[in-house]
Amino acid sequence: MHADEVDIDEALVGRLVAAQFPQWAGLPLTKVRSAGTDNAMYRLGTDLTVRLPRIPGAAGDVEKESRWLPRLAPHLPLTVPVPLGQGVPGEGFPFPWAVYRWLDGDNLFDEPLAEQHEAAAVLGGFITALRRIDATDAPPSYRGGPVLTRDDEVRTAIRGLGADGAVDADAATAAWEGVLRLPQWEGAPVWLHGDLLPGNLLAREGRLSAVIDFGVAGVGDPACDMMAAWTLFSAGAREVFRESARVDDATWARGRGWALCFGLTAEYHYRVTNPVLASVARRAVAEALADLSTVV
């Protein structure tokens, strides 16, 4: 999926664990099937998981999660990953890596929600709780700045998808130009997850149970956490999510802009290499454009 990906396999992970965490050496390793783009995951025994960056851009996520997840977790209403050990480069692997407690559940690509309205209320409450946590000294989020900084990427995606007949280029361009005119965030930076896609949400028996992958987390404009409204929820559940997330009209509109931005750029980039993620992106575009068509 990326030109700068490193090769990761079970043998490498086994060597890393044996060399740096001998107490867990010899436990069975199983690759975790995932549509994630930046990290590889392996289940280690029954209670642990190993997470390894695939690309240089994700290497800093290990230290960030190890530092901040223990501070965030006590304030959040859903389970989040628990770091147990931070590994260092070795055995030919060039990046830091980490061992976490295994979290039971299936991601929402694989486990449909039993009731969207309940999940919408829970996820909105999670975002509200995260936003209230003290942001002193917190790192900026990759998606915490203005969505308008993605203008070149979005227009490139529109041209490419339009040429393939995958999107109505005129409609997408008009919608995107409307996003660029939105009022921007003027408040103090707040905590946000930044990547609340179905693959980063876990469910047990159809009920939302955990939020994973805080690699994009940090502080900034909370609008990008509204993306879940268009990548995950139906129109009715979307309103429940909005009420629970407690955001103003401008933040909601910027969130829809983020959904459009993510949808266009992710479908364009991953339509061949990651069809699962591309399908989520396609839904985000369709839902955002449909929603915008009803806005007077």
Side-chain angles (χ1 to χ4, degrees), residues 4 50 79 96 105 110 117 128 140 161 164 174 179 191 230 281-282 290:
D4 55 355
V50 184
T79 300
D110 303 323
H117 287 68
T128 300
L161 294 171
D164 292 343
V179 171
W191 271 103
W230 296 274
R282 196 156 43 247

Side-chain angles (χ1 to χ4, degrees), residues 133-171:
I133 298 174
D134 182 10
T136 303
D137 297 327
S141 169
Y142 169 71
R143 293 195 178 112
V147 70
L148 55 84
T149 61
R150 312 300 173 96
D151 186 39
D152 289 345
E153 298 170 57
V154 171
R155 291 183 189 275
T156 297
I158 291 173
R159 286 194 297 270
L161 294 171
D164 292 343
V167 71
D168 181 332
D170 290 340

